[in-house]
Amino acid sequence: MAPALLLLRLLALIATAREACAARAFAAASNATAHGATVVAGKLNVHLVPHSHDDVGWLKTVDQYYVGSNNSIQGACVMNTLDSVVDALARDPARKFVVVEQAFFQRWWAEKIPNIQAVVRKLVDSGQLEFINGGWCMHDEAAVHYIDMIDQTTLGHRMIKKQFNKTPRAGWQIDPFGHSAVQAYLLGAELGFDSLHFARIDYQDKEKRKAGKGLEVIWRGSRTFGSSSQIFTNVFPVDYSPPDGFGFEVLDENILPVQDDMLMFDYNVEERVNDFVVAAIEQANFTRTNHIMWTMGDDFSYQYAESWFRNMDKLIYHVNKDGRVHALYSTPSIYTDAKHFSNISWPVKYDDDFPYADSKNSYWTGYYTSRPTFKRYVRVLSGYYLAARQIEFLVGRSFLGMFTTSLEDPMAIAQHHDAVSGTAKQHTTDDYSKRLALGASKVEKGVNVALTCLLSSNGTCAPSVQKFSQCPLLNISYCPSTEETVSGAKNLVVVVYNPLGRERSDFIQIPVSA
C-alpha cells in the first residue's frame, strides 16, 4: 500500500476513535459516513430531524388518538406511529427519531413485551431514538400555572429516568400559541435543557428576524439572573413541517417520492436533488453558521414510518453524492452541538413571544380566556393536588401509600396546549374534565383517611368515629355534609388546612341548613 494511502487510512482510524470516545453524539468529522451520520466542514449541513407532533387530545380524545378510533374526525393512531417507528429504526442504525409526549409513549411502553422493550432500550442508548421535552404533553405557556408546567414535565422525566436512565436535553415546544420568558427560564436554568425549539412567533417578528439572521437567539428568561437563566433558542423559519415537497406521509395526496430506479419512467433523482439544494440554500439565508434544521414530520405522521425513512435514505445518499450540500439524520441535541461548536455570537432576547399573530388581524389571544369554567377547574384542582401531596407526605406513605397518583395523569394531560387553553373540541374538553373529576374523587378519599390519621390522639390510622368529607361543589354553594340534617347531630366540626408556608387570613364560606 502506498505510504500516502496508508497515512490517510490511519488518519481515518484516529478520527473514528476520537468520535467513538466523544462525550456528545456529535463530532465535527471532515468526511461523511453512511447516510450522512456526521457533518462535513465547509459545506452547508442540512440536519433532517424526523418527528411526529401528537396532540394529547384536540379534535379527538387522548384515548381515541392513541388507539386510532373515531377516524371520521381525523385519521390518527399514535400506537401505530410508535410501532412503525421502532421497526423502521431497527432496520438501519443511521436513522433517527425524536419522541415527545410521554402520555402516549408510557401507554405504549407498558403494553410491550420484554423483547420489544429491549430493542427500544438499544435504540435509546445508541441515540437513534431520543426523548425531547420529555413531559407528559407539550404544555401551553399562557393559560397554565408554572407549578403545573413543572409537575407535568417532572412526571415525564421521572419515567424516562426510571426506564432508560436518560435525561432529555432539548425543549421542543413547537405548537403552543406563543411563548413565555418564564418557560425559557424554567427549561434552561431550572431544568437544565441546553436548547429550545419552536415555530410560532408573530409573523412580523419572524420576518424581521429572518432578514437579520436572528431566528436563533440566546433567550434570557430573567434579567435578574442574567446568563444563568439563558437557553439557546431556535425558531423555525416557517412551521414544524418539512419544506414544500419533502413530506412523505404515505397517504398524503401531494407526496412526491424520490424515485431512483432508472428502469422506471418517473425517475426523478436529479429533480429531487435540485429541489433539495434550492430549499436548503434558501433557508440558509435566514440563519448563522453552515447548519440548518429541517423538521421532517407533522401532526400524527409516521403511521407508516418506512415511507418517510425510505425517501430520506435516498435523499441523503443522492444529495451527498451530488456534493453541493450535505444532508444527515439528526436530532435537536446534535444540531445544538453543531451550533455550539461553530463558536459564533448570537442575538440576545429577554421578552415574551406574546401575543402571537400568524397573519394580519389574526391574533391568537382568545384562548387566554376561552372555556373559563374549565380553566378554573384546572387551577382549583392544581391547588388541591398540591395540598393533598403535602398531607400525603405528613401522614407518611407507609400508612396510606401514594393516594395522590390518581391525579398525576389527568392534571398533566390538562396542561396540553389544546386542553387548558380551551382550543379542543367540546367532547374532548368533556373527556379532560371527566378524567380530572375521577382522579380528584380518588384523592379526596385518601385525604379524608389521612386527616383522620393526623387528628387521631395516638397518631395512627386505626378506624375512628371521626368521618371526614369534603365540599368540592362550593362554587355553586352546595355541600351535602353541612346542609343535610344528621339524626342526633348537634355540632358541626370544620377542619381547614392551609397549604402555604406562611400564616394567612381568609374567609371560609360553607352552606348550612337554616
Short mmCIF file of all heavy atoms in Angstrom, two decimals, residues 50-87:
data_model
loop_
_atom_site.label_atom_id
_atom_site.label_comp_id
_atom_site.label_asym_id
_atom_site.label_seq_id
_atom_site.Cartn_x
_atom_site.Cartn_y
_atom_site.Cartn_z
N PRO A 50 -36.40 13.74 12.06
CA PRO A 50 -37.69 13.05 11.96
C PRO A 50 -38.48 13.18 13.27
O PRO A 50 -37.95 12.90 14.34
CB PRO A 50 -37.31 11.60 11.69
CG PRO A 50 -35.89 11.66 11.17
CD PRO A 50 -35.27 12.81 11.91
N HIS A 51 -39.73 13.59 13.17
CA HIS A 51 -40.55 13.79 14.37
C HIS A 51 -42.02 13.65 13.99
O HIS A 51 -42.39 13.75 12.82
CB HIS A 51 -40.32 15.17 14.98
CG HIS A 51 -41.04 16.27 14.24
ND1 HIS A 51 -42.24 16.81 14.67
CD2 HIS A 51 -40.74 16.92 13.07
CE1 HIS A 51 -42.64 17.74 13.81
NE2 HIS A 51 -41.75 17.83 12.83
N SER A 52 -42.86 13.42 14.97
CA SER A 52 -44.30 13.45 14.78
C SER A 52 -44.91 14.23 15.93
O SER A 52 -44.63 13.95 17.10
CB SER A 52 -44.88 12.03 14.76
OG SER A 52 -46.28 12.06 14.59
N HIS A 53 -45.72 15.23 15.60
CA HIS A 53 -46.36 16.02 16.65
C HIS A 53 -47.71 15.40 16.98
O HIS A 53 -48.64 15.43 16.16
CB HIS A 53 -46.54 17.47 16.21
CG HIS A 53 -47.34 18.28 17.17
ND1 HIS A 53 -47.03 18.32 18.52
CD2 HIS A 53 -48.43 19.07 17.01
CE1 HIS A 53 -47.90 19.10 19.13
NE2 HIS A 53 -48.77 19.56 18.24
N ASP A 54 -47.84 14.82 18.18
CA ASP A 54 -49.03 14.07 18.57
C ASP A 54 -49.74 14.79 19.72
O ASP A 54 -49.33 14.70 20.88
CB ASP A 54 -48.64 12.65 19.00
CG ASP A 54 -47.91 11.90 17.90
OD1 ASP A 54 -48.28 12.10 16.73
OD2 ASP A 54 -46.98 11.13 18.20
N ASP A 55 -50.80 15.50 19.37
CA ASP A 55 -51.56 16.25 20.37
C ASP A 55 -52.18 15.30 21.39
O ASP A 55 -52.83 14.31 21.03
CB ASP A 55 -52.67 17.06 19.71
CG ASP A 55 -52.13 18.22 18.91
OD1 ASP A 55 -51.50 19.10 19.51
OD2 ASP A 55 -52.35 18.25 17.68
N VAL A 56 -52.05 15.63 22.67
CA VAL A 56 -52.63 14.82 23.75
C VAL A 56 -54.09 15.26 23.92
O VAL A 56 -54.48 15.85 24.93
CB VAL A 56 -51.81 14.97 25.05
CG1 VAL A 56 -52.36 14.07 26.14
CG2 VAL A 56 -50.35 14.64 24.80
N GLY A 57 -54.87 14.99 22.88
CA GLY A 57 -56.25 15.45 22.82
C GLY A 57 -56.35 16.75 22.03
O GLY A 57 -55.55 17.65 22.21
N TRP A 58 -57.32 16.80 21.13
CA TRP A 58 -57.59 18.02 20.35
C TRP A 58 -58.92 17.82 19.62
O TRP A 58 -59.98 18.05 20.18
CB TRP A 58 -56.45 18.32 19.37
CG TRP A 58 -56.71 19.49 18.45
CD1 TRP A 58 -57.40 20.63 18.74
CD2 TRP A 58 -56.29 19.60 17.08
NE1 TRP A 58 -57.43 21.46 17.63
CE2 TRP A 58 -56.75 20.86 16.60
CE3 TRP A 58 -55.56 18.79 16.22
CZ2 TRP A 58 -56.52 21.29 15.29
CZ3 TRP A 58 -55.32 19.23 14.92
CH2 TRP A 58 -55.80 20.47 14.47
N LEU A 59 -58.86 17.33 18.38
CA LEU A 59 -60.08 17.02 17.66
C LEU A 59 -60.70 15.72 18.16
O LEU A 59 -61.91 15.51 18.04
CB LEU A 59 -59.80 16.91 16.15
CG LEU A 59 -59.15 18.13 15.50
CD1 LEU A 59 -58.92 17.88 14.02
CD2 LEU A 59 -60.00 19.38 15.71
N LYS A 60 -59.86 14.86 18.70
CA LYS A 60 -60.29 13.61 19.32
C LYS A 60 -59.75 13.58 20.75
O LYS A 60 -58.89 14.38 21.13
CB LYS A 60 -59.77 12.40 18.54
CG LYS A 60 -60.17 12.37 17.08
CD LYS A 60 -60.04 11.00 16.44
CE LYS A 60 -58.64 10.47 16.38
NZ LYS A 60 -58.52 9.23 15.59
N THR A 61 -60.23 12.63 21.54
CA THR A 61 -59.75 12.50 22.91
C THR A 61 -58.39 11.81 22.91
O THR A 61 -57.97 11.22 21.90
CB THR A 61 -60.72 11.69 23.78
OG1 THR A 61 -60.71 10.32 23.33
CG2 THR A 61 -62.14 12.24 23.69
N VAL A 62 -57.73 11.85 24.04
CA VAL A 62 -56.40 11.24 24.13
C VAL A 62 -56.48 9.74 23.87
O VAL A 62 -55.59 9.17 23.22
CB VAL A 62 -55.77 11.56 25.52
CG1 VAL A 62 -56.61 11.02 26.66
CG2 VAL A 62 -54.35 11.00 25.60
N ASP A 63 -57.52 9.07 24.36
CA ASP A 63 -57.68 7.63 24.09
C ASP A 63 -57.92 7.36 22.61
O ASP A 63 -57.34 6.42 22.04
CB ASP A 63 -58.86 7.07 24.90
CG ASP A 63 -58.56 6.94 26.38
OD1 ASP A 63 -57.40 7.15 26.77
OD2 ASP A 63 -59.50 6.65 27.15
N GLN A 64 -58.77 8.18 21.99
CA GLN A 64 -59.06 7.99 20.57
C GLN A 64 -57.83 8.21 19.70
O GLN A 64 -57.62 7.49 18.72
CB GLN A 64 -60.19 8.93 20.15
CG GLN A 64 -61.54 8.58 20.77
CD GLN A 64 -62.58 9.68 20.59
OE1 GLN A 64 -62.26 10.80 20.21
NE2 GLN A 64 -63.84 9.34 20.86
N TYR A 65 -57.02 9.18 20.06
CA TYR A 65 -55.78 9.40 19.32
C TYR A 65 -54.83 8.22 19.48
O TYR A 65 -54.14 7.82 18.54
CB TYR A 65 -55.09 10.68 19.79
CG TYR A 65 -55.54 11.92 19.07
CD1 TYR A 65 -55.82 13.09 19.78
CD2 TYR A 65 -55.65 11.96 17.68
CE1 TYR A 65 -56.22 14.24 19.12
CE2 TYR A 65 -56.05 13.10 17.03
CZ TYR A 65 -56.33 14.25 17.75
OH TYR A 65 -56.72 15.38 17.08
N TYR A 66 -54.76 7.66 20.67
CA TYR A 66 -53.81 6.59 20.92
C TYR A 66 -54.17 5.32 20.14
O TYR A 66 -53.32 4.74 19.46
CB TYR A 66 -53.72 6.28 22.42
CG TYR A 66 -52.75 5.14 22.70
CD1 TYR A 66 -51.39 5.30 22.48
CD2 TYR A 66 -53.22 3.91 23.16
CE1 TYR A 66 -50.51 4.25 22.71
CE2 TYR A 66 -52.35 2.87 23.40
CZ TYR A 66 -50.99 3.05 23.18
OH TYR A 66 -50.12 1.99 23.40
N VAL A 67 -55.43 4.90 20.22
CA VAL A 67 -55.82 3.63 19.59
C VAL A 67 -56.26 3.79 18.15
O VAL A 67 -56.43 2.81 17.42
CB VAL A 67 -56.94 2.92 20.40
CG1 VAL A 67 -56.50 2.67 21.81
CG2 VAL A 67 -58.23 3.75 20.38
N GLY A 68 -56.50 5.03 17.69
CA GLY A 68 -56.89 5.25 16.31
C GLY A 68 -58.37 5.09 16.05
O GLY A 68 -58.79 4.74 14.94
N SER A 69 -59.21 5.38 17.04
CA SER A 69 -60.65 5.30 16.84
C SER A 69 -61.21 6.67 16.42
O SER A 69 -60.49 7.67 16.44
CB SER A 69 -61.34 4.83 18.12
OG SER A 69 -61.12 5.73 19.19
N ASN A 70 -62.49 6.69 16.06
CA ASN A 70 -63.16 7.93 15.64
C ASN A 70 -62.42 8.61 14.50
O ASN A 70 -62.28 9.84 14.46
CB ASN A 70 -63.29 8.88 16.84
CG ASN A 70 -64.54 9.75 16.75
OD1 ASN A 70 -65.30 9.67 15.78
ND2 ASN A 70 -64.76 10.59 17.75
N ASN A 71 -61.97 7.81 13.53
CA ASN A 71 -61.16 8.35 12.44
C ASN A 71 -61.97 9.14 11.42
O ASN A 71 -61.39 9.71 10.49
CB ASN A 71 -60.40 7.23 11.73
CG ASN A 71 -59.15 6.81 12.50
OD1 ASN A 71 -58.68 7.55 13.37
ND2 ASN A 71 -58.63 5.65 12.20
N SER A 72 -63.29 9.18 11.57
CA SER A 72 -64.07 10.06 10.72
C SER A 72 -63.75 11.52 11.00
O SER A 72 -63.94 12.40 10.15
CB SER A 72 -65.57 9.82 10.93
OG SER A 72 -65.94 10.09 12.28
N ILE A 73 -63.24 11.80 12.22
CA ILE A 73 -62.82 13.16 12.57
C ILE A 73 -61.40 13.42 12.09
O ILE A 73 -61.11 14.43 11.45
CB ILE A 73 -62.90 13.37 14.10
CG1 ILE A 73 -64.36 13.27 14.57
CG2 ILE A 73 -62.28 14.71 14.51
CD1 ILE A 73 -64.52 13.41 16.07
N GLN A 74 -60.50 12.48 12.38
CA GLN A 74 -59.09 12.64 12.00
C GLN A 74 -58.44 11.27 11.99
O GLN A 74 -58.55 10.51 12.96
CB GLN A 74 -58.37 13.56 12.98
CG GLN A 74 -56.94 13.90 12.58
CD GLN A 74 -56.27 14.85 13.57
OE1 GLN A 74 -56.75 15.02 14.68
NE2 GLN A 74 -55.18 15.45 13.17
N GLY A 75 -57.78 10.94 10.90
CA GLY A 75 -57.10 9.65 10.80
C GLY A 75 -55.79 9.69 11.57
O GLY A 75 -54.75 10.08 11.02
N ALA A 76 -55.81 9.30 12.83
CA ALA A 76 -54.62 9.39 13.67
C ALA A 76 -54.59 8.24 14.65
O ALA A 76 -55.58 7.96 15.33
CB ALA A 76 -54.60 10.72 14.42
N CYS A 77 -53.45 7.57 14.74
CA CYS A 77 -53.26 6.46 15.67
C CYS A 77 -51.81 6.47 16.15
O CYS A 77 -50.91 6.04 15.43
CB CYS A 77 -53.60 5.13 15.01
SG CYS A 77 -53.33 3.70 16.07
N VAL A 78 -51.58 6.98 17.34
CA VAL A 78 -50.22 7.12 17.87
C VAL A 78 -49.60 5.75 18.13
O VAL A 78 -48.39 5.57 18.00
CB VAL A 78 -50.22 7.98 19.14
CG1 VAL A 78 -48.82 8.12 19.70
CG2 VAL A 78 -50.81 9.36 18.84
N MET A 79 -50.40 4.77 18.51
CA MET A 79 -49.89 3.43 18.73
C MET A 79 -49.21 2.90 17.47
O MET A 79 -48.12 2.31 17.53
CB MET A 79 -51.04 2.51 19.13
CG MET A 79 -50.63 1.11 19.57
SD MET A 79 -51.99 -0.07 19.73
CE MET A 79 -53.34 0.96 20.26
N ASN A 80 -49.84 3.12 16.32
CA ASN A 80 -49.25 2.70 15.05
C ASN A 80 -47.96 3.44 14.77
O ASN A 80 -46.99 2.86 14.25
CB ASN A 80 -50.24 2.92 13.90
CG ASN A 80 -51.37 1.91 13.90
OD1 ASN A 80 -51.35 0.95 14.66
ND2 ASN A 80 -52.36 2.14 13.06
N THR A 81 -47.93 4.73 15.08
CA THR A 81 -46.71 5.52 14.85
C THR A 81 -45.53 4.95 15.63
O THR A 81 -44.45 4.74 15.06
CB THR A 81 -46.94 6.99 15.26
OG1 THR A 81 -47.93 7.57 14.41
CG2 THR A 81 -45.66 7.79 15.18
N LEU A 82 -45.72 4.68 16.91
CA LEU A 82 -44.63 4.18 17.73
C LEU A 82 -44.20 2.79 17.28
O LEU A 82 -42.99 2.49 17.20
CB LEU A 82 -45.03 4.19 19.19
CG LEU A 82 -45.23 5.58 19.79
CD1 LEU A 82 -45.85 5.49 21.19
CD2 LEU A 82 -43.91 6.34 19.87
N ASP A 83 -45.15 1.92 16.97
CA ASP A 83 -44.81 0.59 16.46
C ASP A 83 -43.99 0.70 15.17
O ASP A 83 -42.96 0.04 15.00
CB ASP A 83 -46.08 -0.21 16.16
CG ASP A 83 -46.73 -0.78 17.41
OD1 ASP A 83 -46.03 -0.93 18.43
OD2 ASP A 83 -47.94 -1.06 17.38
N SER A 84 -44.47 1.54 14.26
CA SER A 84 -43.85 1.66 12.95
C SER A 84 -42.46 2.29 13.03
O SER A 84 -41.53 1.86 12.33
CB SER A 84 -44.76 2.49 12.04
OG SER A 84 -44.27 2.55 10.73
N VAL A 85 -42.32 3.30 13.88
CA VAL A 85 -41.02 3.98 14.00
C VAL A 85 -39.96 3.03 14.56
O VAL A 85 -38.83 2.98 14.07
CB VAL A 85 -41.15 5.23 14.90
CG1 VAL A 85 -39.79 5.71 15.37
CG2 VAL A 85 -41.86 6.34 14.14
N VAL A 86 -40.31 2.27 15.58
CA VAL A 86 -39.34 1.33 16.17
C VAL A 86 -38.90 0.31 15.14
O VAL A 86 -37.71 -0.02 15.01
CB VAL A 86 -39.94 0.66 17.42
CG1 VAL A 86 -39.08 -0.52 17.88
CG2 VAL A 86 -40.08 1.67 18.55
N ASP A 87 -39.84 -0.21 14.35
CA ASP A 87 -39.49 -1.17 13.30
C ASP A 87 -38.54 -0.55 12.28
O ASP A 87 -37.56 -1.16 11.85
CB ASP A 87 -40.75 -1.67 12.59
CG ASP A 87 -41.58 -2.61 13.44
OD1 ASP A 87 -41.03 -3.12 14.45
OD2 ASP A 87 -42.76 -2.82 13.12
#
